[in-house]
């Protein structure tokens, strides 16, 4: 597993997205969270295709902090099954990666 991950999470609305972003940064589970503009999500849920407008969070953290981050999102999120996907960071600028490590 790499040292750093980028985590994707979608939220029902901007208020929830900002609440989650603030909570995980305050708890030092993430160094930074980008709250992206509304996206259209098309997905299958309970055997029906759904189309919803959601906000996408792009969360930067260390691999070591992923499990507690996932648990915090699951606890705070309004969805029954929130999206929490970690993507390994292959490389990055030394200064930025050091900042992530120091921030969490």
């Amino acid at each position: 597993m790499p040292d750093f991950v980028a985590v994707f999470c979608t939220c029902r609305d901007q208020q929830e997205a900002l609440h989650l972003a603030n909570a995980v940064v305050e708890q030092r589970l993430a160094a930074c969270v980008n709250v992206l503009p509304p996206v259209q999500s098309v997905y299958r849920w309970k055997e029906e295709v759904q189309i919803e407008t959601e906000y996408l969070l792009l969360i930067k953290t260390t691999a070591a902090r992923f499990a507690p981050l996932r648990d915090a999102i699951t606890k705070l999120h309004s969805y029954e099954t929130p999206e929490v996907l970690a993507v390994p960071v292959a490389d990055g600028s030394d200064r930025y990666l050091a900042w992530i490590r120091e921030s969490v």
Side-chain angles (χ1 to χ4, degrees):
M1 183 87 166
D3 290 342
F4 301 94
V5 293
V7 179
F8 295 95
C9 177
T10 51
C11 295
R12 181 179 321 274
D13 56 38
Q14 187 178 31
Q15 181 179 359
E16 179 175 48
L18 291 170
H19 174 74
L20 279 171
N22 186 66
V24 300
V25 171
E26 282 286 332
Q27 295 174 40
R28 299 182 77 87
L29 299 173
C32 175
V33 180
N34 300 111
V35 179
L36 297 161
V39 296
Q40 291 299 116
S41 297
V42 181
Y43 57 94
R44 181 173 301 281
W45 182 250
K46 298 188 179 182
E47 298 305 316
E48 292 189 26
V49 175
Q50 307 289 323
I51 301 174
E52 300 288 340
T53 300
E54 298 179 296
Y55 283 79
L56 178 62
L57 302 181
L58 175 54
I59 305 165
K60 278 77 76 172
T61 192
T62 61
R65 298 297 279 159
F66 174 70
L69 171 68
R70 179 197 57 221
D71 295 345
I73 291 171
T74 301
K75 179 181 177 183
L76 295 169
H77 210 289
S78 65
Y79 289 172
E80 181 180 334
T81 306
E83 171 188 14
V84 185
L85 297 174
V87 178
V89 173
D91 204 355
S93 74
D94 292 338
R95 288 177 62 183
Y96 189 79
L97 296 176
W99 172 77
I100 291 175
R101 190 179 311 281
E102 292 166 11
S103 296
V104 299

